[in-house]
Amino acid sequence: MISLNKVGKEFRRDRWGVKDISFTIDKGEFVVLTGPSGAGKTTLMKLLSFEQQPSTGELLLEGRANGRVKKRELPYVRRRIGVVFQDFRLLPDRTAYENVAFVLRATGAGRKGLHRRVVRALALVGLSGRGDAMPSELSGGEQQRIGLARAIVSDPFLVLADEPTGNLDDDNKREVFKILRKVAAGGTAVLVATHDLNVAREFRARTLILDKGRLVKDAPAGSESEAALAAVAPHVSRPVRTGMNV
Amino acid sequence: MNTFLFTLREGVLNLRRSPMLAVSSVAVMGLSLFVLGIFLLLTVNLRAAIVAVQSQVEVAVFVQDGLRDVELQSLDRFLREHPGVSSVSYLTRDDAMARFRSELSQKEYLLEALEANPLPDTFEVALFDDWKTTERIAEFATQIEGMAGVDEVKWGKDWVGRLNRVIVILVLVDLFLGIVVALSSMVVVANTVKLTLIARREMIELMKMVGATIGVIRRPFVIEGVLQGTVAACLATALLVTLTGFLQDRVPELIELSIPIFAIFVGFGAFLGGLGSVVSLQGFLRKW
């Protein structure tokens, strides 16, 4: 279980990235995290991935507290977290298969079972036949699915995806969300930070809404949260016009 | 063990993935090591020159006229048994005159005015190197001068003192240059390795995120650095051998670097490459 109790991150004096955040995520839960730009989504993701330590409060992942884990033990905590990036971050010099296997090799997982695990991860993202392809030969959607396979190949407790669909078209967005929900169904906790509420809403996931560093809404799965979303953070539920992002 | 093959493979692959970077790193390291090698060559030759000059320091013990055999023998025994003496040769006045004559060669007529041989019998005493300081030779000379049958003890008093001062200065300058050259090659290597690391930042970040330990992240780079350092040192060795051959055609006395020195040199190159990686990585991994 992941639990946050009044977690805050202060960057400079009185400049808080996030403040007073409390929630828990259970094994197998599929959770969407949203909010306007600058609401603190990325900060929260970095706290959850143990990249940054909270300034206040307590963040526990499987009983281990962020900030009190010894530097030496940090790698072992990170092995319990799979991370999916907006920009995929595949290593361009090796095949899709090797990109997925990289995680297992770098963490010293035994050679026994390595192939089976990689094949299973590739199958889960629907790319069984593309293992030999180099990243440059894959479409954006396919690259991100390799990124997903890489995040889950080590059977993590938690998968964190920060804007995993930011660079994808609608069909591919849907595909990525489908896979993430499938991963959650397999017992992994999944947290997706996204702007793509239109797609996210289709999946009727539990939704956490951040605004100005605060958790303003925790809408349970399957709830009709649209009205609440519009009320609390109107700028979130409105489709973002691409022209405004430039 | 599971990660060992992985890191070895990644280290070798690193070199293949960006050959231009690898080539330029090796070139820069090789040139730094070459400069270091030139310095070593100078040092070896400087030392040889010092030893050659020092070996010429000798003490001449002039013996009084008409000394009895017994006294001569006891003097001889004393000199040979002295801890500072490496060799003793006895030169009779006739031998000394013969040598003097041959040294004068064409100008033998100068000796025609002599009615008798004015030269004394002489012990020529060579000392061990650690006895060749001004103080110790002076002490030795005073001791011998006080002995029965000794007329006079001669040694290049001013000359030895000056030589020793020059040697001290040369050794200090040499040491200083050595430190400067070694440090600068380390800085150059560390900076070169840093370029490699910047090119691989994504991979380092990724390894960190997936939970690789610091050791596993570091090892491919250390292996890469060691390989580059070794190749660079071999290149520098080839350059040095060529340079030495070229110089020896002109200065035959030049001493080349010995194989053990080259072995240490190559080992140092490997160490430098590895150390460069470790030092440069430290900055990258600090923000863990």
Side-chain angles (χ1 to χ4, degrees), chain B residues 140-196:
Chain B
F140 176 76
T142 316
Q143 195 183 1
I144 305 300
E145 247 166 358
M147 292 190 63
V150 175
D151 187 28
E152 201 186 351
V153 178
K154 276 212 151 129
W155 55 285
K157 195 173 187 169
D158 305 330
W159 182 73
V160 170
R162 222 173 314 147
L163 176 69
N164 283 329
R165 275 195 299 280
V166 169
I167 287 172
V168 167
I169 289 168
L170 281 177
V171 168
L172 284 179
V173 168
D174 190 68
L175 200 68
F176 175 72
L177 280 178
I179 291 168
V180 168
V181 171
L183 279 180
S184 59
S185 48
M186 264 185 234
V187 169
V188 167
V189 169
N191 273 314
T192 313
V193 173
K194 201 166 271 179
L195 284 180
T196 319

Side-chain angles (χ1 to χ4, degrees), chain A residues 105 111, chain B residues 1-11 219 223:
Chain A
R105 297 194 206 278
R111 298 169 72 84
Chain B
M1 191 57 216
N2 278 331
T3 52
F4 179 75
L5 284 176
F6 167 77
T7 50
L8 184 67
R9 213 177 74 110
E10 289 296 326
R219 228 179 296 145
I223 290 169

Side-chain angles (χ1 to χ4, degrees), chain A:
Chain A
M1 190 168 83
I2 306 113
S3 72
L4 288 80
N5 186 16
K6 294 192 186 308
V7 168
K9 177 70 181 172
E10 190 178 26
F11 288 117
R12 277 179 284 136
R13 238 180 103 79
D14 287 330
R15 296 275 287 173
W16 293 80
V18 290
K19 203 171 179 181
D20 267 344
I21 308 279
S22 302
F23 63 84
T24 60
I25 299 177
D26 269 329
K27 189 173 178 296
E29 257 196 286
F30 181 55
V31 183
V32 170
L33 172 69
T34 190
S37 293
K41 295 193 296 292
T42 300
T43 303
L44 188 57
M45 293 303 258
K46 283 187 172 166
L47 291 171
L48 287 165
S49 65
F50 283 57
E51 265 184 273
Q52 292 183 355
Q53 287 92 47
S55 321
T56 58
E58 190 180 54
L59 190 161
L60 292 171
L61 177 90
E62 291 186 302
R64 284 184 278 204
N66 186 354
R68 290 207 297 276
V69 176
K70 287 202 189 78
K71 209 172 160 181
R72 202 158 23 87
E73 288 163 17
L74 214 42
Y76 302 96
V77 177
R78 294 227 168 94
R79 288 176 197 185
R80 302 294 297 148
I81 306 168
V83 181
V84 181
F85 307 94
Q86 178 173 3
D87 53 355
F88 321 142
R89 301 215 195 151
L90 301 182
L91 297 172
D93 54 22
R94 59 194 83 201
T95 62
Y97 178 96
E98 278 303 323
N99 263 284
V100 177
F102 182 80
V103 179
L104 298 177
R105 297 194 206 278
T107 52
R111 298 169 72 84
K112 226 174 67 185
L114 184 137
H115 180 67
R116 192 173 42 79
R117 293 170 79 176
V118 174
V119 167
R120 204 176 53 191
L122 287 172
L124 191 90
V125 299
L127 288 176
S128 293
R130 302 289 273 152
D132 288 339
M134 297 301 278
S136 57
E137 296 159 11
L138 297 170
S139 71
E142 286 174 323
Q143 287 186 45
Q144 189 57 300
R145 278 145 72 189
I146 295 298
L148 286 168
R150 182 178 63 190
I152 59 171
V153 71
S154 56
D155 288 322
F157 173 80
L158 169 69
V159 167
L160 293 172
D162 194 358
E163 299 287 354
T165 57
N167 290 347
L168 302 177
D169 60 40
D170 279 354
D171 285 348
N172 275 310
K173 281 174 184 171
R174 233 165 249 122
E175 184 62 35
V176 165
F177 269 90
K178 259 186 216 160
I179 293 167
L180 285 168
R181 195 174 56 181
K182 201 156 62 173
V183 169
T188 306
V190 176
L191 181 65
V192 192
T194 184
H195 274 109
D196 284 321
L197 267 198
N198 291 333
V199 179
R201 223 178 269 133
E202 291 173 23
F203 289 84
R204 293 180 163 264
R206 174 183 167 195
T207 307
L208 303 173
I209 303 168
L210 283 183
D211 193 25
K212 300 193 180 80
R214 306 258 181 180
L215 182 63
V216 293
K217 183 82 189 170
D218 185 348
S223 69
E224 208 47 66
S225 56
E226 217 155 321
L229 270 173
V232 177
H235 37 310
V236 176
S237 51
R238 221 181 293 136
V240 177
R241 290 229 300 278
T242 47
M244 294 175 66
N245 276 345
V246 178

Side-chain angles (χ1 to χ4, degrees), chain B residues 190-232:
Chain B
N191 273 314
T192 313
V193 173
K194 201 166 271 179
L195 284 180
T196 319
L197 293 187
I198 289 168
R200 305 240 185 291
R201 187 157 45 192
E202 283 215 328
M203 179 150 136
I204 295 174
E205 285 294 319
L206 192 64
M207 288 177 93
K208 212 154 110 172
M209 289 305 292
V210 303
T213 54
I214 295 185
V216 171
I217 296 176
R218 190 184 286 149
R219 228 179 296 145
F221 294 98
V222 174
I223 290 169
E224 184 185 3
V226 167
L227 286 176
Q228 287 184 342
T230 309
V231 173

